[in-house]
């Protein structure tokens, strides 16, 4: 089970930190991911982090503003979002997969989303 939290309303330029707590899986054996879906748009990749946290991957749209991290002792993955823009508004989903990240992959396990709203 993946439980995301931390969404909310923030002004443009502000920050939010999303969390996703995992249970029922060997957390350190999974690549963890964040995706997002805005109204009327397809779900898109945001960021991924390798099993140990040594490798991170970002979409071009968030690179330099968002940071993904994980705490394997707490079975939790985080997404620190800085300098938020109105176009970042979406439902954010965490997802897990035992495969190493590659562009275009679709993780196997998904949590429920958490809504991020950015006011201009």
């Amino acid at each position: 089970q993946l439980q995301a939290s931390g969404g909310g309303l923030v002004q443009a330029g502000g920050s939010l930190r999303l969390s996703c707590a995992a249970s029922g899986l060997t957390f350190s054996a999974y690549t963890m991911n964040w995706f997002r879906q805005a109204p009327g748009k397809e779900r898109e990749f945001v960021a991924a982090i390798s099993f140990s946290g040594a490798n991170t991957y970002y979409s071009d749209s968030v690179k330099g503003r968002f940071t993904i991290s994980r705490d394997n002792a707490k079975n939790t993955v985080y997404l620190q979002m800085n300098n938020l823009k109105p176009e970042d508004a979406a439902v954010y989903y965490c997802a897990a997969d035992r495969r190493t990240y590659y562009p275009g992959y679709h993780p196997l396990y998904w949590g429920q989303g958490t809504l991020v709203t950015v006011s201009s």
Side-chain angles (χ1 to χ4, degrees):
Q1 182 179 5
L2 301 173
Q3 183 76 33
S5 62
L9 172 63
V10 64
Q11 286 189 329
S15 298
L16 277 178
R17 188 196 196 200
L18 305 183
S19 300
C20 175
S23 61
L25 52 81
T26 305
F27 185 73
S28 59
Y30 285 77
T31 297
M32 297 302 297
N33 311 266
W34 288 97
F35 284 71
R36 67 186 182 187
Q37 187 167 20
K41 295 188 177 181
E42 293 187 353
R43 192 173 297 187
E44 65 173 353
F45 168 77
V46 175
I49 188 166
S50 61
F51 314 131
S52 67
N55 297 302
T56 56
Y57 312 88
Y58 297 94
S59 69
D60 287 343
S61 62
V62 307
K63 198 173 296 182
R65 299 186 298 121
F66 291 11
T67 302
I68 189 171
S69 62
R70 66 189 297 161
D71 185 336
N72 286 348
K74 295 183 178 179
N75 288 359
T76 302
V77 61
Y78 305 98
L79 185 69
Q80 177 67 43
M81 305 186 295
N82 297 329
N83 190 21
L84 281 159
K85 303 176 181 181
E87 53 263 41
D88 294 317
V91 177
Y92 282 71
Y93 299 89
C94 65
D97 199 287
R98 298 201 66 165
R99 295 171 293 173
T100 300
Y101 166 80
Y102 60 89
Y105 94 146
H106 189 80
L108 183 59
Y109 302 106
W110 292 80
Q112 96 296 350
T114 185
L115 178 64
V116 172
T117 304
V118 183
S119 64
S120 57

